[in-house]
Amino acid sequence: MDPVSRDLDRETGHPWPEREATADLQTQMGDMQIAGGEDMLLDEYDVVDEKQDVAEITPEGSTDEPTEPLADDYAAMKERVLPKLPDLEPEFETTYTWHIENYRSLTRKERGPKFECGGHPWRILLFPFGNNVEYASLYLEQAHEDDDKPKEGWYACVQFTLVMWNKTDSSIYSCHTANHRFNAEESDWGFTRFSELRKMFAAQWDGAGRPMVEHDAVNVTAYVRIYKDPTGVLWHSFENYNSKKETGMVGLKNQGATCYLNSLLQSLYFTNAFRKAIYRIPTEHETEKKNSAWALQRLFYLLQTSEDAVSTQELTHSFGWETRHIFEQQDVQELSRILMDRMEVRMKGTDAENALNKMFVGKMKTYISCIHVEYESSRIEDFWDIQLNVSGNRNLDDSFRDYVQVETMDGENKYFAEGHGLQDARKGVIFESFPQVLHLQLKRFEYDINRDAMMKVNDRYEFPEVFDATPYLSEGADRSEPYLYQLHGVLVHSGDLTAGHYYAFLKPAIDGHFYKFDDDKVIRATLKEALEENFGGDYANGINGAGVRNPYTRTLSTKRSMSAYMLVYIRKSREKDILVDVTEDDTPTHLARQLDEERAALEKRRKEREEQHLYLHIHVVTDDNFKAYQGFDLTSWDTDSNTPSSPQMYRVLKNSTVGDFTRTVAESLQVPPEQARLWAMVNRQNKTIRPDQPLPDLNMTITEAYSRFSTRDKPFRLWVETATTIKDGQALWPNVNPSPAMAAPILIFLKHFNPDDQTLKGVGHVYMRKTSKVAEMIPAIQQLMGWSPSRDPASMSSPPSSGLPSPPYSTPSAGVCLYEEIKHSMIEPMKAKATLQQAEIQDGDIVCFQRALPEMEASAIASTGRYTDAREFYDYLMNRIMVRFSPKLAPEHEGSVFDLALSRKMSYDQFSAKVGEYLKVDPTHLRFSTVLASTGKPKAPIRRGQASTLAQMLMPALGTYANANQRPDQLFYEVLEMSISELETKRNMRVTWLPEGVMKEEPMDVLAPKNGLVQDLIPLIQRKVNLSEEDVSMLRIFETHQCRIGKELDPKTIIASIPDYAVLYAELVPEEERIASDEDRAIYAFHFDKEPAKTHGVPFKFVIKPRELFKDTRERLSKRTGIKGKQFDKLKFAITQRSAYSRPTYLNDEDELYALASRADDQLGLDHVNRTRLFPGKGDSIFIR
């Protein structure tokens, strides 16, 4: 359906979902889609797809309006309404007419008689009064019945026209044409709005003097042509398309904007020798996600073995890419080179060493050869790919001729040949050899000076299937083997600079076909689709001169938006070596083993999910977990399950019994089931989780136990007690429910705080009677700890009741301090003479103890920043945070990135001391910076003097500027040459050193005294760039603002007077300035792009001489700036004033700059393109970790 018809449908309120039915190959119709379908309101036993009108196609090359044939002249009519499609081969065709009588008496839906075409039955389907519209609806339908179904996978690519015509006057007719791939799922196709009912029954049809339906009769003729399918996907809708089934290959999933990566990876994968080389990299013992070689091996293996499209997430993760990199399209050539470099590094010292070099590397010679004397300067370099100009060239040979074009150096551009002086010379590039696999990068994107922007070059550019590179070799090149290359791959970009899509056409086998690799789809392609349709240029047949709509930019264009940007050629004599079969023996065995294990684990998890309703997860904590744990309660329920303190998680059938589960737990503890008892743990109101009571009935089911002893929607948590008293093989458990109740023993858990080791860990549990005094726990503690009894076993040191003490420090025999761990924020000392009932101790409570310390020992511990009192240590645990420290400037190496457990309450000096202790450096020389969450890069350094805690440094108050986008668990560190206090007296100055004119910049940071002078900067710069004392005397430092010189800095200038926003440059005063005459004058020069306000680059000071023509001044400017050759020729020069809005006066070769630049504020402007802004939206340069 043409765009107008589609809009009309929308205006009348009928939402017609579109279906694809391409009227021609993309060559003829581009991306235009015609025909469509909707769901019809039919009887539920009879479903037919609705169809829409389609555009009528004028045959290519027709100019004059042809004479209209009559509808009963079938041969002429077929030629008129059903023109053959180019590039497709018809297989069968037929014509059939259905004579319809008693039109007004027809039912809602009528099917015509069957007719045959291509060995299959067809018929016309008619909705005489419309398929829910005010139009007659006509369709072509394949007429297989239930007892005569076609074989599975049957389809037919059909071009057809339906013509409705007056039975009496065959000059009155209406027709519509469509193409469709008929199959079992899409068995009918046509036109829901074929002809308006009102017009059909009107007295006149388009002024013909009679109606379309006359005497209640009308004819419908079907012209049907079936085409051969050259690729197997002609007019395919790609619904439920299976790449593996259709082609034997699978695609790659697009993560967001990774289609450019997918096309490159598929190209490398089907360069079989490359794949084999990657497999030869030893990775069996380096299977980690940061290993890009291992990730690439896995990706290639999955492409070999998977049934579905493969994800590239593992690979991009190994590159170190974040989410933002996934949504940035990057340069394929740059990515290819970086990937090759990384793989080359990984291949060093292995069997695969130099494999990539042999495959992809050629040699070229850059030369300058004198014409009149025998002298040549040349350099031979390796190349991995060749960048060829598209603009101005018609084909690949034109680009190569342009590449090796010889430039003559004569006149003012003569070459200085050592020993021969200035000589006429020829300068150029020639190839010494080409690689086995030749990667050609076509420069489809380049700067358009008229638009002042990067643009895509959509010009037609042809490349052959077989390319002869011999003409571009040097005379001395080895020609023993022909340099004929077979096209292997065409990487395509469709769209423009700002929006587009990448895909590839590849030929995996030597004598095979091309296939289109479009992300997750792999489709058979014709040679024309791979070559000619990617030449670019104008469409062969535009649509009414309006162009074709680009599917990515949604704009109309007469030029093709899809064009090749990279070509892969393989040397014909080496094709069998490059496209060698990759067998199972070539694949690393550990890849298959790892993937099998992962698939088994996935299958296990899938099965577990399906059976999840039958099972309950139970977390069980043991005494060993308690003893290994440092923290609050008995254990942490959120830690990694692999740590010794983590509770064991069991997956238990809900209908099993408590006794069954007890046996399972006892087996894992390697104790008899009779010696294990399970306690239910409860969530107390004070946010703690403690054992409450043992499970009383071993015969109850797990479901009953969960409903009775756990909180709904909470995990079922248990503590397993192992018997300590055994008689005749049976456990003797304390009776927790005696009579009277006062005699009931209480289960108490004990923790020990060790000030020496700074640990707080469980040591076990004891049973005490409610009437027992607190001090009576001490003998049990001494027994558990192996301490010798004190002279007074009941002795106990009681810390002061108010505030944290200088801890209670006496000799070990003098006593033990006891504290009750009530909750995380409440650790209370216990009174020795109080009973446990008075202390409100109950089952599952935790008592912490520590040995009392002598005062000297306590002072020594405290002086090292450690804790001497259990309550202080509990406070540390409550405020503990794991912080990751990474080096800010030095590259990461083993041990340079580390994690420390710190307290949120620590000051700068306290946590700096901890880091200094770890790094074994003076903590006063450490400086820290916060981390930008979005990029992982450093933010501003943390000021040492600020009175804030670590928590405030990591997580500033909400709403403050510092809080924005900051990591709360990471810091960068620097080890400084001086202390922080000394550093605070310095000012960091960024100075850019200019060693060669203005073309080379070397930024440096120097620390100068805040109250110093500019002369204090000079020795610092001298050390940085290694200047001699003579050079130091010629050093000049100048200050710039907005890329213009503000002023030259006098050595006596106070550093504090230099504004922070100023940019400083340092250079040696040029020789011509040092030897300038009294008549000579200096002028400030700067760079701008078209307008003086659009400044860029490095400004400079330049000497101008009286009576010197500007053509001579230009030569001195070239020497002063370091800009030479074609780049310098593109510069325009103008006199302008310091004001940003002054109008530039451009200079000619015959002008005298000295005379024209007479005003004090005159400056020299160099007008040329600011290349730093050509890609304003481009992200960071692509990288692979």
Side-chain angles (χ1 to χ4, degrees):
M1 185 172 66
D2 62 22
V4 175
S5 301
R6 189 176 296 126
D7 289 341
L8 288 174
D9 279 351
R10 290 173 180 157
E11 289 172 8
T12 54
H14 298 290
W16 306 113
E18 297 175 19
R19 264 191 175 176
E20 295 185 2
T22 312
D24 197 350
L25 291 177
Q26 287 186 350
T27 307
Q28 180 162 343
M29 298 301 295
D31 297 310
M32 180 175 179
Q33 294 179 347
I34 60 177
E38 312 92 34
D39 298 331
M40 301 189 304
L41 300 176
L42 302 178
D43 299 333
E44 60 184 15
Y45 57 83
D46 199 357
V47 178
V48 181
D49 287 341
E50 285 193 32
K51 310 299 178 289
Q52 298 180 356
D53 297 348
V54 298
E56 294 189 41
I57 304 166
T58 302
E60 187 175 351
S62 65
T63 53
D64 300 328
E65 189 69 26
T67 303
E68 291 291 337
L70 299 178
D72 56 0
D73 185 352
Y74 298 127
M77 195 68 180
K78 181 168 68 173
E79 186 177 348
R80 172 75 173 89
V81 301
L82 199 69
K84 291 182 179 179
L85 300 177
D87 304 314
L88 291 177
E89 182 182 351
E91 192 172 16
F92 307 99
E93 58 183 55
T94 193
T95 302
Y96 176 78
T97 300
W98 178 17
H99 305 283
I100 302 172
E101 304 289 344
N102 302 317
Y103 192 97
R104 289 180 173 81
S105 302
L106 296 176
T107 60
R108 181 176 179 272
K109 179 172 60 176
E110 295 284 349
R111 287 184 168 91
K114 293 182 182 180
F115 60 93
E116 187 269 340
C117 185
H120 295 279
W122 304 87
R123 62 189 170 203
I124 299 168
L125 173 62
L126 169 66
F127 287 78
F129 305 107
N131 186 4
N132 300 313
V133 292
E134 298 296 323
Y135 289 74
S137 304
L138 268 176
Y139 310 93
L140 178 66
E141 178 183 57
Q142 62 95 353
H144 285 285
E145 304 294 348
D146 291 340
D147 57 350
D148 182 31
K149 289 185 177 179
K151 63 181 181 181
E152 185 179 355
W154 171 86
Y155 68 91
C157 297
V158 181
Q159 176 195 22
F160 66 95
T161 298
L162 298 179
V163 182
M164 179 181 285
W165 51 286
N166 184 289
K167 188 174 182 179
T168 306
D169 186 351
S170 58
S171 66
I172 299 175
Y173 63 84
S174 175
C175 65
H176 293 286
T177 303
N179 310 323
H180 182 59
R181 184 187 185 93
F182 286 85
N183 53 42
E185 288 75 32
E186 296 184 352
S187 59
D188 56 88
W189 198 254
F191 317 96
T192 298
R193 296 168 177 250
F194 185 87
S195 185
E196 192 174 0
L197 292 171
R198 177 179 56 83
K199 291 179 63 179
M200 287 171 58
F201 293 99
Q204 294 190 42
W205 173 270
D206 288 344
R210 55 202 319 162
M212 172 69 77
V213 179
E214 190 173 16
H215 307 304
D216 213 21
V218 73
N219 290 340
V220 177
T221 299
Y223 297 90
V224 180
R225 180 179 294 128
I226 299 177
Y227 285 95
K228 290 182 179 179
D229 184 358
T231 61
V233 293
L234 180 62
W235 305 329
H236 204 301
S237 66
F238 294 104
E239 291 181 14
N240 304 317
Y241 179 76
N242 187 321
S243 296
K244 186 77 170 185
K245 179 181 176 182
E246 300 296 334
T247 66
M249 296 168 283
V250 297
L252 293 168
K253 296 177 182 176
N254 192 332
Q255 295 186 53
T258 56
C259 49
Y260 72 97
L261 172 67
N262 291 350
S263 60
L264 176 65
L265 290 173
Q266 291 281 22
S267 170
L268 294 174
Y269 172 79
F270 284 107
T271 307
N272 295 358
F274 176 82
R275 195 191 331 166
K276 290 185 72 170
I278 294 298
Y279 282 157
R280 286 159 59 194
I281 300 174
T283 60
E284 186 170 4
H285 304 296
E286 302 178 47
T287 53
E288 58 177 22
K289 291 187 175 181
K290 290 184 179 180
N291 185 339
S292 53
W294 174 74
L296 189 58
Q297 285 181 346
R298 279 172 62 93
L299 180 76
F300 282 178
Y301 183 75
L302 286 170
L303 284 172
Q304 277 180 211
T305 59
S306 180
E307 296 295 318
D308 303 304
V310 178
S311 172
T312 57
Q313 282 186 333
E314 273 188 355
L315 185 66
T316 54
H317 181 80
S318 75
F319 291 170
W321 293 2
E322 301 172 0
T323 303
R324 63 192 179 89
H325 299 116
I326 300 303
F327 290 94
E328 291 174 357
Q329 286 191 347
Q330 299 285 356
D331 180 60
V332 172
Q333 182 198 20
E334 186 181 5
L335 174 63
S336 175
R337 283 295 305 115
I338 294 173
L339 182 61
M340 294 289 188
D341 285 344
R342 292 295 179 272
M343 294 305 106
E344 262 208 308
V345 171
R346 295 306 310 272
M347 289 177 180
K348 286 190 183 300
T350 72
D351 292 343
E353 187 169 3
N354 292 325
L356 301 188
N357 237 294
K358 293 174 183 175
M359 236 182 296
F360 297 102
V361 174
K363 294 186 180 297
M364 67 168 67
K365 181 173 77 172
T366 305
Y367 66 88
I368 300 177
S369 178
C370 293
I371 297 173
H372 303 299
V373 297
E374 289 191 9
Y375 181 88
E376 180 178 283
S377 171
S378 64
R379 182 176 70 253
I380 295 179
E381 299 173 307
D382 290 344
F383 68 87
W384 288 77
D385 50 44
I386 304 171
Q387 290 194 60
L388 299 174
N389 289 322
V390 172
S391 183
N393 295 309
R394 296 172 302 166
N395 52 43
L396 197 59
D397 281 302
D398 280 357
S399 290
F400 266 95
R401 284 191 286 268
D402 175 57
Y403 198 93
V404 299
Q405 183 179 7
V406 177
E407 176 188 351
T408 301
M409 303 176 70
D410 56 10
E412 296 179 358
N413 196 29
K414 285 185 178 182
Y415 173 67
F416 182 83
E418 190 174 349
H420 300 281
L422 292 173
Q423 293 288 329
D424 293 342
R426 295 186 181 93
K427 176 182 178 183
V429 172
I430 196 72
F431 293 95
E432 294 294 322
S433 67
F434 289 99
Q436 299 175 20
V437 181
L438 180 60
H439 282 180
L440 302 178
Q441 305 287 343
L442 307 183
K443 294 165 72 172
R444 283 285 181 183
F445 298 97
E446 60 180 40
Y447 178 72
D448 186 328
I449 194 168
N450 296 318
R451 291 184 173 90
D452 188 24
M454 291 294 291
M455 300 295 291
K456 183 178 179 184
V457 179
N458 282 319
D459 298 346
R460 183 175 177 84
Y461 181 88
E462 299 177 6
F463 46 89
E465 188 179 3
V466 177
F467 169 62
D468 185 3
T470 309
Y472 314 109
L473 289 167
S474 69
E475 292 180 2
D478 180 8
R479 289 177 168 82
S480 59
E481 199 176 315
Y483 281 94
L484 286 176
Y485 283 84
Q486 178 71 43
L487 184 65
H488 172 68
V490 181
L491 277 63
V492 181
H493 177 267
S494 178
D496 63 14
L497 182 71
T498 57
H501 179 57
Y502 293 84
Y503 50 90
F505 290 92
L506 301 170
K507 186 181 175 184
I510 296 175
D511 299 320
H513 302 283
F514 274 96
Y515 291 85
K516 181 181 179 181
F517 292 82
D518 189 354
D519 286 338
D520 56 351
K521 290 189 185 70
V522 183
I523 305 162
R524 168 90 176 274
T526 63
L527 187 62
K528 180 179 179 182
E529 288 174 320
L531 273 75
E532 185 178 332
E533 292 190 7
N534 298 306
F535 289 166
D538 295 330
Y539 284 100
N541 183 25
I543 308 300
N544 300 325
V548 174
R549 188 174 299 280
N550 186 313
Y552 305 103
T553 62
R554 309 308 301 163
T555 57
L556 292 171
S557 175
T558 58
K559 285 188 179 291
R560 294 180 183 274
S561 65
M562 55 280 196
S563 51
Y565 70 93
M566 177 176 169
L567 305 176
V568 182
Y569 281 94
I570 297 176
R571 196 171 181 179
K572 287 179 74 69
S573 57
R574 302 296 179 92
E575 272 189 301
K576 290 183 179 178
D577 298 330
I578 299 300
L579 299 181
V580 61
D581 290 338
V582 181
T583 64
E584 192 68 30
D585 293 337
D586 297 317
T587 307
T589 55
H590 65 275
L591 289 180
R593 186 178 65 251
Q594 290 166 2
L595 288 167
D596 287 343
E597 290 170 358
E598 290 173 14
R599 291 185 186 115
L602 282 172
E603 178 61 23
K604 182 181 177 183
R605 286 197 292 271
R606 184 195 63 78
K607 190 174 180 181
E608 286 177 355
R609 284 195 298 271
E610 289 179 354
E611 299 175 349
Q612 189 171 355
H613 64 287
L614 302 175
Y615 289 86
L616 182 69
H617 288 102
I618 302 178
H619 300 265
V620 178
V621 61
T622 66
D623 280 340
D624 289 339
N625 300 143
F626 178 53
K627 291 174 183 178
Y629 175 61
Q630 176 161 286
F632 300 98
D633 283 343
L634 270 64
T635 187
S636 172
W637 303 98
D638 303 322
T639 55
D640 185 359
S641 59
N642 294 324
T643 60
S645 64
S646 301
Q648 181 70 38
M649 196 273 286
Y650 295 86
R651 187 168 176 261
V652 187
L653 278 169
K654 291 181 179 179
N655 59 4
S656 63
T657 64
V658 172
D660 295 334
F661 181 54
T662 303
R663 283 188 285 274
T664 301
V665 174
E667 184 179 347
S668 67
L669 295 175
Q670 298 181 345
V671 299
E674 299 80 12
Q675 297 176 21
R677 180 165 69 164
L678 300 176
W679 285 63
M681 300 187 74
V682 297
N683 297 321
R684 295 183 176 179
Q685 290 184 348
N686 62 5
K687 310 290 186 184
T688 60
I689 302 171
R690 305 287 173 83
D692 183 60
Q693 59 178 304
L695 300 183
D697 184 3
L698 296 179
N699 294 320
M700 76 170 71
T701 65
I702 293 296
T703 300
E704 293 171 339
Y706 176 66
S707 62
R708 284 181 57 186
F709 298 103
S710 184
T711 307
R712 186 174 295 276
D713 299 329
K714 296 287 185 182
F716 195 14
R717 297 178 175 130
L718 302 176
W719 171 65
V720 58
E721 179 185 13
T722 53
T724 55
T725 306
I726 302 169
K727 184 176 181 181
D728 299 330
Q730 297 293 318
L732 299 179
W733 303 109
N735 185 3
V736 294
N737 296 306
S739 181
M742 291 299 293
I746 304 173
L747 172 66
I748 301 174
F749 291 88
L750 298 172
K751 286 184 181 179
H752 174 228
F753 170 58
N754 187 333
D756 296 320
D757 298 338
Q758 296 290 286
T759 57
L760 176 68
K761 293 186 176 180
V763 295
H765 64 277
V766 296
Y767 282 94
M768 303 291 294
R769 296 188 181 278
K770 293 182 179 179
T771 55
S772 300
K773 292 188 176 180
V774 170
E776 293 178 26
M777 285 191 288
I778 293 179
I781 291 171
Q782 291 172 332
Q783 183 178 356
L784 281 171
M785 298 298 296
W787 292 345
S788 58
S790 63
R791 284 189 292 267
D792 180 6
S795 67
M796 173 178 167
S797 295
S798 299
S801 57
S802 60
L804 287 176
S806 298
Y809 310 122
S810 54
T811 62
S813 62
V816 177
C817 300
L818 299 179
Y819 305 91
E820 182 188 0
E821 182 186 316
I822 300 172
K823 60 180 181 178
H824 297 179
S825 58
M826 188 179 293
I827 314 299
E828 296 292 341
M830 301 183 72
K831 297 178 180 178
K833 297 181 180 180
T835 64
L836 297 179
Q837 184 178 18
Q838 290 171 338
E840 299 182 354
I841 301 297
Q842 63 185 42
D843 281 327
D845 280 354
I846 297 174
V847 172
C848 171
F849 64 90
Q850 72 172 90
R851 301 184 83 176
L853 298 176
E855 187 171 349
M856 288 182 61
E857 184 181 351
S859 300
I861 293 173
S863 65
T864 61
R866 293 179 292 169
Y867 302 100
T868 56
D869 185 276
R871 288 171 294 177
E872 292 176 339
F873 194 75
Y874 267 109
D875 183 70
Y876 157 71
L877 290 179
M878 189 168 65
N879 290 285
R880 181 173 54 180
I881 180 175
M882 293 301 297
V883 181
R884 169 154 293 186
F885 291 89
S886 305
K888 182 177 179 180
L889 301 176
E892 293 183 5
H893 57 83
E894 187 175 353
S896 65
V897 179
F898 54 92
D899 297 328
L900 289 182
L902 304 172
S903 171
R904 292 181 176 88
K905 293 184 175 181
M906 281 183 170
S907 66
Y908 187 101
D909 289 339
Q910 286 174 324
F911 81 77
S912 180
K914 292 285 186 183
V915 177
E917 182 182 354
Y918 180 90
L919 294 172
K920 297 181 174 57
V921 299
D922 188 343
T924 62
H925 284 56
L926 287 172
R927 181 168 66 172
F928 302 94
S929 302
T930 51
V931 181
L932 197 63
S934 58
T935 63
K937 294 181 178 179
K939 291 183 71 176
I942 300 172
R943 295 181 63 86
R944 174 176 172 269
Q946 59 187 26
S948 57
T949 63
L950 177 60
Q952 292 169 332
M953 296 175 205
L954 289 170
M955 295 171 286
L958 290 173
T960 62
Y961 175 77
N963 180 266
N965 198 18
Q966 181 171 308
R967 287 286 299 269
D969 59 353
Q970 186 176 354
L971 291 173
F972 282 105
Y973 68 88
E974 301 168 81
V975 181
L976 306 175
E977 296 177 357
M978 62 187 74
S979 68
I980 292 291
S981 54
E982 184 182 355
L983 179 66
E984 289 172 351
T985 66
K986 307 284 186 181
R987 176 179 173 182
N988 185 58
M989 307 286 288
R990 169 60 66 94
V991 181
T992 301
W993 170 245
L994 303 174
E996 302 171 8
V998 299
M999 293 301 292
K1000 188 175 180 181
E1001 302 175 51
E1002 296 178 3
M1004 68 182 85
D1005 289 307
V1006 292
L1007 288 171
K1010 286 183 178 178
N1011 298 323
L1013 305 175
V1014 168
Q1015 65 187 18
D1016 298 324
L1017 281 175
I1018 295 174
L1020 300 174
I1021 295 172
Q1022 180 185 9
R1023 286 200 298 271
K1024 287 277 188 179
V1025 298
N1026 197 22
L1027 293 177
S1028 66
E1029 290 298 329
E1030 182 182 354
D1031 288 339
V1032 168
S1033 63
M1034 296 182 289
L1035 187 67
R1036 171 167 63 202
I1037 304 173
F1038 58 93
E1039 175 186 317
T1040 70
H1041 306 275
Q1042 297 181 340
C1043 301
R1044 292 180 186 239
I1045 294 178
K1047 62 181 177 181
E1048 297 175 48
L1049 296 178
D1050 186 272
K1052 300 297 183 183
T1053 302
I1054 300 172
I1055 288 176
S1057 67
I1058 302 174
D1060 292 335
Y1061 56 81
V1063 179
L1064 301 184
Y1065 290 93
E1067 66 173 354
L1068 296 179
V1069 176
E1071 183 181 1
E1072 73 167 2
E1073 194 174 327
R1074 298 197 302 270
I1075 63 174
S1077 68
D1078 294 338
E1079 277 190 294
D1080 294 343
R1081 220 173 52 234
I1083 188 172
Y1084 287 149
F1086 69 99
H1087 307 263
F1088 69 93
D1089 189 348
K1090 293 187 177 180
E1091 299 175 16
K1094 296 180 179 179
T1095 57
H1096 62 92
V1098 181
F1100 58 95
K1101 188 177 181 181
F1102 181 65
V1103 174
I1104 55 177
K1105 297 178 178 293
R1107 297 173 296 283
E1108 181 184 59
L1109 296 180
F1110 193 69
K1111 64 181 181 180
D1112 300 320
T1113 307
R1114 285 173 62 95
E1115 293 183 16
R1116 292 194 300 107
L1117 277 167
S1118 176
K1119 184 178 178 181
R1120 174 70 177 93
T1121 58
I1123 307 173
K1124 297 181 175 66
K1126 292 181 180 179
Q1127 190 177 357
F1128 186 79
D1129 293 340
K1130 294 179 182 179
L1131 269 61
K1132 293 187 289 185
F1133 299 88
I1135 296 175
T1136 181
Q1137 284 71 50
R1138 181 173 290 276
S1139 168
Y1141 301 101
S1142 64
R1143 294 178 63 85
T1145 303
Y1146 286 91
L1147 297 168
N1148 298 316
D1149 283 351
E1150 302 305 317
D1151 290 334
E1152 291 184 21
L1153 178 59
Y1154 189 95
L1156 295 174
S1158 56
R1159 295 170 51 178
D1161 64 341
D1162 279 344
Q1163 295 189 347
L1164 175 63
L1166 283 67
D1167 182 359
H1168 59 105
V1169 173
N1170 177 12
R1171 296 197 174 275
T1172 61
R1173 65 173 180 82
L1174 294 184
F1175 294 96
K1178 194 176 186 300
D1180 294 342
S1181 180
I1182 198 167
F1183 67 93
I1184 296 178
R1185 176 167 52 197

